[in-house]
């Protein structure tokens, strides 16, 4: 680990595993199964074999946050410029994911997020960046996920998380992301 930057330290080579079992960033089903399928396929066993202690935090699901999601749906005080598909679900899930990424990373643990819906990336990026302000990101994807609500043909948030994390959204563009709309972290 000596080749890593001094500000990036691990406690006992511990990895925090967070599953995000949602599919609401787009309209296809199946992506919400990715965390459990990766676990079932032996991912945790491989990580442990590599010498890591695994702290599996379970999965963030729509069902586990349903009361907060219902409150967001009922909240009529927000008047977003754009109405994106299932944005209340994504806003609540991403807020919880950002909190977990920040807490676990700040505690010195390597954080591995397991999900299938690209709509979780805004929270992953901003949560880690909040803990490590000098963080650098390499984005491997077939798409840049840098659409904004104004440029998206589909209105699906899964094509927008990088743009949102970069601060390319204006405050009030979308509902349920007040926690992120306070300004770009990048």
């Amino acid at each position: 680990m000596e080749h890593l930057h001094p500000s990036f330290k691990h406690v006992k080579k511990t990895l925090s595993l967070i599953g995000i079992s949602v599919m609401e960033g787009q309209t296809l089903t199946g992506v919400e199964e990715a965390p459990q399928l990766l676990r079932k396929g032996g991912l945790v066993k491989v990580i442990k074999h590599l010498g890591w202690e695994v702290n599996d935090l379970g999965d963030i699901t729509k069902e586990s946050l349903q009361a907060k999601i219902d409150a967001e749906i009922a909240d009529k005080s927000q008047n977003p410029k754009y109405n994106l598909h299932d944005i209340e679900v994504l806003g609540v899930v991403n807020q919880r994911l950002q909190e977990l990424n920040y807490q676990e990373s700040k505690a010195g643990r390597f954080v591995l997020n397991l999900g299938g819906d690209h709509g979780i990336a805004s929270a992953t990026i901003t949560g880690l960046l909040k803990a490590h302000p000098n963080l650098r990101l390499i984005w491997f994807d077939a798409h840049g996920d840098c659409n904004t609500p104004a440029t998206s043909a589909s209105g699906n948030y899964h094509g927008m998380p990088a743009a949102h994390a970069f601060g390319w959204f204006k405050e009030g563009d979308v509902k349920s992301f007040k926690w992120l709309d306070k300004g770009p972290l990048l």
Side-chain angles (χ1 to χ4, degrees), residues 15-68:
L15 180 143
S16 291
L17 187 67
I18 305 169
I20 309 92
S21 297
V22 297
M23 53 78 57
E24 281 74 18
Q26 42 80 56
T27 58
L28 301 175
T29 60
V31 297
E32 71 281 4
E33 297 176 26
Q36 287 304 317
L37 291 174
L38 288 165
R39 286 184 186 98
K40 185 177 178 182
L43 179 64
V44 173
K45 185 177 180 180
V46 170
I47 294 169
K48 287 180 178 180
H49 180 74
L50 294 171
W52 288 84
E53 177 184 321
V54 177
N55 180 23
D56 192 339
L57 302 176
D59 290 354
I60 298 172
T61 65
K62 178 181 174 181
E63 293 76 22
S64 68
L65 297 168
Q66 195 62 56
K68 288 183 179 183

Short mmCIF file of all heavy atoms in Angstrom, two decimals, residues 15-68:
data_model
loop_
_atom_site.label_atom_id
_atom_site.label_comp_id
_atom_site.label_asym_id
_atom_site.label_seq_id
_atom_site.Cartn_x
_atom_site.Cartn_y
_atom_site.Cartn_z
N LEU A 15 -12.67 -3.37 3.33
CA LEU A 15 -13.50 -2.95 2.22
C LEU A 15 -14.95 -2.93 2.67
O LEU A 15 -15.43 -3.90 3.25
CB LEU A 15 -13.32 -3.94 1.06
CG LEU A 15 -14.11 -3.69 -0.21
CD1 LEU A 15 -13.25 -4.06 -1.41
CD2 LEU A 15 -15.40 -4.47 -0.24
N SER A 16 -15.62 -1.83 2.44
CA SER A 16 -17.06 -1.73 2.72
C SER A 16 -17.80 -1.95 1.41
O SER A 16 -17.58 -1.25 0.42
CB SER A 16 -17.42 -0.37 3.30
OG SER A 16 -16.88 -0.24 4.59
N LEU A 17 -18.66 -2.95 1.42
CA LEU A 17 -19.43 -3.33 0.24
C LEU A 17 -20.85 -2.81 0.40
O LEU A 17 -21.52 -3.08 1.39
CB LEU A 17 -19.43 -4.85 0.13
CG LEU A 17 -20.03 -5.48 -1.10
CD1 LEU A 17 -19.18 -5.15 -2.33
CD2 LEU A 17 -20.09 -6.99 -0.92
N ILE A 18 -21.31 -2.02 -0.57
CA ILE A 18 -22.66 -1.46 -0.55
C ILE A 18 -23.37 -1.88 -1.83
O ILE A 18 -22.92 -1.56 -2.93
CB ILE A 18 -22.63 0.08 -0.47
CG1 ILE A 18 -21.82 0.56 0.73
CG2 ILE A 18 -24.06 0.64 -0.43
CD1 ILE A 18 -21.54 2.06 0.73
N GLY A 19 -24.47 -2.59 -1.67
CA GLY A 19 -25.30 -2.93 -2.81
C GLY A 19 -26.38 -1.88 -3.01
O GLY A 19 -26.91 -1.35 -2.04
N ILE A 20 -26.67 -1.58 -4.25
CA ILE A 20 -27.72 -0.62 -4.55
C ILE A 20 -28.67 -1.31 -5.53
O ILE A 20 -28.39 -1.40 -6.73
CB ILE A 20 -27.18 0.70 -5.14
CG1 ILE A 20 -26.06 1.28 -4.27
CG2 ILE A 20 -28.31 1.73 -5.25
CD1 ILE A 20 -24.69 0.84 -4.68
N SER A 21 -29.75 -1.84 -5.00
CA SER A 21 -30.68 -2.66 -5.79
C SER A 21 -31.85 -1.83 -6.28
O SER A 21 -32.97 -1.96 -5.79
CB SER A 21 -31.17 -3.84 -4.93
OG SER A 21 -30.09 -4.67 -4.60
N VAL A 22 -31.58 -0.98 -7.25
CA VAL A 22 -32.64 -0.16 -7.85
C VAL A 22 -32.51 -0.23 -9.37
O VAL A 22 -31.45 -0.54 -9.91
CB VAL A 22 -32.59 1.32 -7.39
CG1 VAL A 22 -32.83 1.44 -5.90
CG2 VAL A 22 -31.28 1.98 -7.78
N MET A 23 -33.62 0.07 -10.03
CA MET A 23 -33.63 0.11 -11.49
C MET A 23 -34.33 1.35 -12.03
O MET A 23 -34.53 1.50 -13.22
CB MET A 23 -34.30 -1.16 -12.05
CG MET A 23 -35.68 -1.50 -11.51
SD MET A 23 -37.13 -0.58 -12.12
CE MET A 23 -37.12 -0.82 -13.85
N GLU A 24 -34.69 2.26 -11.13
CA GLU A 24 -35.54 3.38 -11.51
C GLU A 24 -34.86 4.45 -12.36
O GLU A 24 -35.53 5.37 -12.83
CB GLU A 24 -36.14 4.02 -10.25
CG GLU A 24 -37.32 3.26 -9.69
CD GLU A 24 -36.94 1.96 -8.97
OE1 GLU A 24 -35.76 1.78 -8.59
OE2 GLU A 24 -37.82 1.11 -8.80
N GLY A 25 -33.56 4.36 -12.57
CA GLY A 25 -32.88 5.34 -13.41
C GLY A 25 -33.18 5.17 -14.88
O GLY A 25 -32.86 6.03 -15.70
N GLN A 26 -33.80 4.04 -15.22
CA GLN A 26 -34.15 3.73 -16.60
C GLN A 26 -35.35 2.80 -16.58
O GLN A 26 -35.93 2.58 -15.53
CB GLN A 26 -32.94 3.15 -17.33
CG GLN A 26 -32.13 2.14 -16.54
CD GLN A 26 -32.74 0.76 -16.53
OE1 GLN A 26 -32.99 0.18 -17.58
NE2 GLN A 26 -32.99 0.23 -15.34
N THR A 27 -35.75 2.24 -17.70
CA THR A 27 -37.01 1.50 -17.74
C THR A 27 -36.87 -0.02 -17.85
O THR A 27 -37.88 -0.72 -17.89
CB THR A 27 -37.87 2.00 -18.93
OG1 THR A 27 -37.12 1.84 -20.14
CG2 THR A 27 -38.25 3.46 -18.74
N LEU A 28 -35.67 -0.55 -17.88
CA LEU A 28 -35.48 -1.99 -18.00
C LEU A 28 -35.35 -2.63 -16.63
O LEU A 28 -34.72 -2.07 -15.73
CB LEU A 28 -34.23 -2.30 -18.83
CG LEU A 28 -34.22 -1.75 -20.25
CD1 LEU A 28 -32.88 -2.01 -20.91
CD2 LEU A 28 -35.35 -2.35 -21.07
N THR A 29 -35.91 -3.81 -16.47
CA THR A 29 -35.77 -4.52 -15.21
C THR A 29 -34.57 -5.46 -15.29
O THR A 29 -34.10 -5.80 -16.37
CB THR A 29 -37.04 -5.34 -14.89
OG1 THR A 29 -37.25 -6.28 -15.93
CG2 THR A 29 -38.24 -4.45 -14.73
N GLY A 30 -34.09 -5.86 -14.14
CA GLY A 30 -32.97 -6.80 -14.06
C GLY A 30 -31.73 -6.19 -13.44
O GLY A 30 -31.01 -6.88 -12.72
N VAL A 31 -31.48 -4.91 -13.68
CA VAL A 31 -30.27 -4.28 -13.14
C VAL A 31 -30.29 -4.24 -11.62
O VAL A 31 -29.23 -4.24 -10.99
CB VAL A 31 -30.03 -2.87 -13.73
CG1 VAL A 31 -29.80 -2.93 -15.22
CG2 VAL A 31 -31.19 -1.93 -13.42
N GLU A 32 -31.48 -4.24 -11.03
CA GLU A 32 -31.60 -4.20 -9.58
C GLU A 32 -31.12 -5.51 -8.94
O GLU A 32 -30.89 -5.57 -7.73
CB GLU A 32 -33.03 -3.89 -9.16
CG GLU A 32 -34.04 -4.98 -9.40
CD GLU A 32 -34.53 -5.11 -10.85
OE1 GLU A 32 -34.06 -4.39 -11.74
OE2 GLU A 32 -35.42 -5.96 -11.07
N GLU A 33 -30.97 -6.54 -9.72
CA GLU A 33 -30.50 -7.83 -9.21
C GLU A 33 -28.99 -7.96 -9.18
O GLU A 33 -28.44 -8.92 -8.63
CB GLU A 33 -31.10 -8.95 -10.06
CG GLU A 33 -32.63 -9.00 -9.98
CD GLU A 33 -33.22 -10.06 -10.89
OE1 GLU A 33 -32.53 -11.05 -11.19
OE2 GLU A 33 -34.38 -9.89 -11.29
N ALA A 34 -28.28 -7.02 -9.76
CA ALA A 34 -26.82 -7.12 -9.88
C ALA A 34 -26.10 -7.33 -8.55
O ALA A 34 -25.24 -8.21 -8.46
CB ALA A 34 -26.28 -5.89 -10.60
N PRO A 35 -26.39 -6.57 -7.48
CA PRO A 35 -25.64 -6.79 -6.25
C PRO A 35 -25.74 -8.21 -5.71
O PRO A 35 -24.72 -8.82 -5.35
CB PRO A 35 -26.27 -5.78 -5.26
CG PRO A 35 -26.82 -4.70 -6.13
CD PRO A 35 -27.30 -5.42 -7.36
N GLN A 36 -26.95 -8.76 -5.67
CA GLN A 36 -27.10 -10.12 -5.15
C GLN A 36 -26.47 -11.15 -6.07
O GLN A 36 -25.89 -12.14 -5.61
CB GLN A 36 -28.58 -10.43 -4.89
CG GLN A 36 -29.15 -9.72 -3.69
CD GLN A 36 -28.36 -10.02 -2.41
OE1 GLN A 36 -27.97 -11.15 -2.13
NE2 GLN A 36 -28.10 -8.98 -1.62
N LEU A 37 -26.57 -10.94 -7.37
CA LEU A 37 -25.97 -11.88 -8.31
C LEU A 37 -24.44 -11.86 -8.23
O LEU A 37 -23.79 -12.91 -8.33
CB LEU A 37 -26.44 -11.59 -9.74
CG LEU A 37 -27.92 -11.88 -10.00
CD1 LEU A 37 -28.33 -11.41 -11.39
CD2 LEU A 37 -28.22 -13.37 -9.83
N LEU A 38 -23.87 -10.68 -8.03
CA LEU A 38 -22.41 -10.60 -7.87
C LEU A 38 -21.96 -11.31 -6.59
O LEU A 38 -20.94 -12.01 -6.57
CB LEU A 38 -21.95 -9.15 -7.87
CG LEU A 38 -22.02 -8.47 -9.25
CD1 LEU A 38 -21.90 -6.96 -9.11
CD2 LEU A 38 -20.93 -9.03 -10.16
N ARG A 39 -22.71 -11.13 -5.52
CA ARG A 39 -22.39 -11.83 -4.28
C ARG A 39 -22.52 -13.35 -4.47
O ARG A 39 -21.64 -14.11 -4.09
CB ARG A 39 -23.31 -11.37 -3.15
CG ARG A 39 -23.00 -9.98 -2.61
CD ARG A 39 -23.92 -9.69 -1.42
NE ARG A 39 -23.78 -8.35 -0.93
CZ ARG A 39 -24.60 -7.34 -1.24
NH1 ARG A 39 -25.62 -7.53 -2.08
NH2 ARG A 39 -24.41 -6.14 -0.73
N LYS A 40 -23.63 -13.75 -5.07
CA LYS A 40 -23.88 -15.18 -5.31
C LYS A 40 -22.80 -15.78 -6.21
O LYS A 40 -22.43 -16.94 -6.06
CB LYS A 40 -25.26 -15.35 -5.94
CG LYS A 40 -25.69 -16.77 -6.12
CD LYS A 40 -27.10 -16.85 -6.69
CE LYS A 40 -27.51 -18.29 -6.92
NZ LYS A 40 -28.85 -18.37 -7.51
N GLY A 41 -22.29 -14.98 -7.12
CA GLY A 41 -21.24 -15.44 -8.03
C GLY A 41 -19.86 -15.55 -7.40
O GLY A 41 -18.91 -15.97 -8.06
N GLY A 42 -19.72 -15.14 -6.14
CA GLY A 42 -18.46 -15.34 -5.44
C GLY A 42 -17.59 -14.11 -5.27
O GLY A 42 -16.43 -14.23 -4.88
N LEU A 43 -18.12 -12.94 -5.52
CA LEU A 43 -17.32 -11.73 -5.42
C LEU A 43 -16.71 -11.55 -4.03
O LEU A 43 -15.51 -11.25 -3.91
CB LEU A 43 -18.16 -10.49 -5.78
CG LEU A 43 -17.42 -9.15 -5.68
CD1 LEU A 43 -16.28 -9.09 -6.68
CD2 LEU A 43 -18.38 -8.00 -5.88
N VAL A 44 -17.49 -11.74 -2.98
CA VAL A 44 -16.99 -11.55 -1.62
C VAL A 44 -15.86 -12.54 -1.32
O VAL A 44 -14.84 -12.19 -0.74
CB VAL A 44 -18.13 -11.66 -0.58
CG1 VAL A 44 -17.59 -11.62 0.84
CG2 VAL A 44 -19.14 -10.53 -0.80
N LYS A 45 -16.03 -13.76 -1.77
CA LYS A 45 -15.00 -14.79 -1.56
C LYS A 45 -13.69 -14.40 -2.24
O LYS A 45 -12.61 -14.54 -1.66
CB LYS A 45 -15.51 -16.13 -2.11
CG LYS A 45 -14.59 -17.29 -1.85
CD LYS A 45 -15.21 -18.58 -2.36
CE LYS A 45 -14.27 -19.75 -2.09
NZ LYS A 45 -14.85 -21.01 -2.57
N VAL A 46 -13.77 -13.86 -3.44
CA VAL A 46 -12.57 -13.42 -4.17
C VAL A 46 -11.90 -12.26 -3.43
O VAL A 46 -10.68 -12.24 -3.27
CB VAL A 46 -12.92 -13.02 -5.62
CG1 VAL A 46 -11.75 -12.33 -6.29
CG2 VAL A 46 -13.36 -14.24 -6.41
N ILE A 47 -12.69 -11.31 -2.97
CA ILE A 47 -12.13 -10.15 -2.26
C ILE A 47 -11.43 -10.61 -0.99
O ILE A 47 -10.32 -10.15 -0.68
CB ILE A 47 -13.24 -9.12 -1.95
CG1 ILE A 47 -13.79 -8.51 -3.25
CG2 ILE A 47 -12.71 -8.01 -1.04
CD1 ILE A 47 -15.05 -7.69 -3.07
N LYS A 48 -12.04 -11.51 -0.25
CA LYS A 48 -11.41 -12.04 0.97
C LYS A 48 -10.14 -12.81 0.63
O LYS A 48 -9.14 -12.72 1.35
CB LYS A 48 -12.39 -12.93 1.73
CG LYS A 48 -13.48 -12.15 2.43
CD LYS A 48 -14.43 -13.08 3.18
CE LYS A 48 -15.50 -12.29 3.93
NZ LYS A 48 -16.41 -13.18 4.66
N HIS A 49 -10.16 -13.55 -0.46
CA HIS A 49 -8.98 -14.30 -0.89
C HIS A 49 -7.80 -13.36 -1.19
O HIS A 49 -6.65 -13.72 -1.01
CB HIS A 49 -9.30 -15.15 -2.12
CG HIS A 49 -8.15 -15.95 -2.63
ND1 HIS A 49 -7.68 -17.07 -1.98
CD2 HIS A 49 -7.35 -15.75 -3.70
CE1 HIS A 49 -6.64 -17.54 -2.65
NE2 HIS A 49 -6.43 -16.76 -3.70
N LEU A 50 -8.12 -12.15 -1.62
CA LEU A 50 -7.09 -11.14 -1.90
C LEU A 50 -6.58 -10.45 -0.64
O LEU A 50 -5.77 -9.54 -0.71
CB LEU A 50 -7.62 -10.11 -2.90
CG LEU A 50 -7.91 -10.64 -4.30
CD1 LEU A 50 -8.63 -9.59 -5.13
CD2 LEU A 50 -6.61 -11.08 -4.98
N GLY A 51 -7.07 -10.87 0.51
CA GLY A 51 -6.57 -10.35 1.78
C GLY A 51 -7.36 -9.21 2.39
O GLY A 51 -6.90 -8.58 3.34
N TRP A 52 -8.53 -8.96 1.88
CA TRP A 52 -9.34 -7.87 2.40
C TRP A 52 -10.35 -8.39 3.41
O TRP A 52 -10.95 -9.45 3.23
CB TRP A 52 -10.11 -7.19 1.27
CG TRP A 52 -9.24 -6.37 0.38
CD1 TRP A 52 -8.51 -6.82 -0.67
CD2 TRP A 52 -9.03 -4.97 0.44
NE1 TRP A 52 -7.85 -5.79 -1.27
CE2 TRP A 52 -8.15 -4.63 -0.60
CE3 TRP A 52 -9.50 -3.97 1.28
CZ2 TRP A 52 -7.73 -3.34 -0.83
CZ3 TRP A 52 -9.09 -2.67 1.04
CH2 TRP A 52 -8.22 -2.37 0.01
N GLU A 53 -10.56 -7.61 4.46
CA GLU A 53 -11.67 -7.85 5.37
C GLU A 53 -12.88 -7.16 4.73
O GLU A 53 -12.79 -6.00 4.32
CB GLU A 53 -11.37 -7.22 6.73
CG GLU A 53 -12.49 -7.34 7.73
CD GLU A 53 -12.17 -6.62 9.03
OE1 GLU A 53 -11.01 -6.66 9.47
OE2 GLU A 53 -13.08 -5.99 9.57
N VAL A 54 -14.01 -7.88 4.62
CA VAL A 54 -15.18 -7.33 3.94
C VAL A 54 -16.26 -6.98 4.97
O VAL A 54 -16.67 -7.82 5.76
CB VAL A 54 -15.75 -8.32 2.91
CG1 VAL A 54 -17.02 -7.77 2.27
CG2 VAL A 54 -14.70 -8.62 1.84
N ASN A 55 -16.67 -5.74 4.93
CA ASN A 55 -17.77 -5.25 5.76
C ASN A 55 -18.95 -5.05 4.81
O ASN A 55 -19.07 -4.00 4.17
CB ASN A 55 -17.35 -3.93 6.43
CG ASN A 55 -18.43 -3.35 7.30
OD1 ASN A 55 -19.31 -4.05 7.77
ND2 ASN A 55 -18.36 -2.04 7.50
N ASP A 56 -19.80 -6.06 4.66
CA ASP A 56 -20.93 -6.00 3.74
C ASP A 56 -22.08 -5.27 4.41
O ASP A 56 -22.67 -5.75 5.36
CB ASP A 56 -21.35 -7.41 3.32
CG ASP A 56 -22.31 -7.40 2.13
OD1 ASP A 56 -22.96 -6.37 1.88
OD2 ASP A 56 -22.42 -8.45 1.48
N LEU A 57 -22.40 -4.09 3.91
CA LEU A 57 -23.47 -3.27 4.48
C LEU A 57 -24.85 -3.61 3.94
O LEU A 57 -25.82 -2.93 4.27
CB LEU A 57 -23.16 -1.79 4.24
CG LEU A 57 -21.83 -1.30 4.82
CD1 LEU A 57 -21.58 0.15 4.44
CD2 LEU A 57 -21.80 -1.48 6.32
N GLY A 58 -24.93 -4.64 3.12
CA GLY A 58 -26.23 -5.02 2.55
C GLY A 58 -26.60 -4.14 1.37
O GLY A 58 -25.77 -3.46 0.80
N ASP A 59 -27.88 -4.16 1.06
CA ASP A 59 -28.36 -3.43 -0.11
C ASP A 59 -29.27 -2.26 0.27
O ASP A 59 -30.11 -2.38 1.17
CB ASP A 59 -29.18 -4.36 -1.02
CG ASP A 59 -28.32 -5.39 -1.72
OD1 ASP A 59 -27.09 -5.34 -1.60
OD2 ASP A 59 -28.90 -6.26 -2.40
N ILE A 60 -29.09 -1.18 -0.44
CA ILE A 60 -30.05 -0.08 -0.41
C ILE A 60 -31.12 -0.46 -1.43
O ILE A 60 -30.82 -0.74 -2.59
CB ILE A 60 -29.39 1.25 -0.81
CG1 ILE A 60 -28.29 1.64 0.17
CG2 ILE A 60 -30.45 2.36 -0.91
CD1 ILE A 60 -27.47 2.84 -0.27
N THR A 61 -32.36 -0.47 -0.98
CA THR A 61 -33.47 -0.82 -1.87
C THR A 61 -34.55 0.25 -1.78
O THR A 61 -34.62 1.00 -0.81
CB THR A 61 -34.10 -2.18 -1.48
OG1 THR A 61 -34.68 -2.05 -0.18
CG2 THR A 61 -33.07 -3.30 -1.48
N LYS A 62 -35.36 0.26 -2.77
CA LYS A 62 -36.52 1.15 -2.78
C LYS A 62 -37.40 0.85 -1.57
O LYS A 62 -37.86 1.75 -0.88
CB LYS A 62 -37.29 0.95 -4.09
CG LYS A 62 -38.53 1.76 -4.22
CD LYS A 62 -39.21 1.46 -5.56
CE LYS A 62 -40.54 2.15 -5.66
NZ LYS A 62 -41.22 1.85 -6.93
N GLU A 63 -37.58 -0.43 -1.29
CA GLU A 63 -38.45 -0.85 -0.19
C GLU A 63 -37.92 -0.39 1.16
O GLU A 63 -38.68 0.00 2.04
CB GLU A 63 -38.61 -2.38 -0.20
CG GLU A 63 -39.38 -2.91 -1.40
CD GLU A 63 -38.56 -2.92 -2.71
OE1 GLU A 63 -37.32 -2.92 -2.65
OE2 GLU A 63 -39.18 -2.90 -3.78
N SER A 64 -36.60 -0.42 1.34
CA SER A 64 -36.01 -0.02 2.63
C SER A 64 -36.15 1.47 2.90
O SER A 64 -36.04 1.91 4.04
CB SER A 64 -34.53 -0.43 2.70
OG SER A 64 -33.75 0.33 1.79
N LEU A 65 -36.41 2.25 1.86
CA LEU A 65 -36.52 3.70 1.99
C LEU A 65 -37.92 4.20 1.60
O LEU A 65 -38.10 5.39 1.35
CB LEU A 65 -35.46 4.39 1.13
CG LEU A 65 -34.01 4.10 1.53
CD1 LEU A 65 -33.04 4.59 0.45
CD2 LEU A 65 -33.69 4.74 2.86
N GLN A 66 -38.89 3.29 1.56
CA GLN A 66 -40.21 3.63 1.03
C GLN A 66 -40.88 4.81 1.75
O GLN A 66 -41.50 5.64 1.10
CB GLN A 66 -41.13 2.41 1.06
CG GLN A 66 -42.37 2.58 0.20
CD GLN A 66 -42.06 2.79 -1.26
OE1 GLN A 66 -41.39 1.97 -1.88
NE2 GLN A 66 -42.53 3.88 -1.84
N ALA A 67 -40.75 4.90 3.06
CA ALA A 67 -41.38 6.01 3.78
C ALA A 67 -40.82 7.36 3.33
O ALA A 67 -41.58 8.32 3.10
CB ALA A 67 -41.21 5.84 5.29
N LYS A 68 -39.51 7.44 3.16
CA LYS A 68 -38.89 8.69 2.69
C LYS A 68 -39.27 8.98 1.23
O LYS A 68 -39.49 10.13 0.85
CB LYS A 68 -37.38 8.62 2.83
CG LYS A 68 -36.92 8.69 4.26
CD LYS A 68 -35.41 8.69 4.36
CE LYS A 68 -34.99 8.77 5.82
NZ LYS A 68 -33.55 8.84 5.98
#
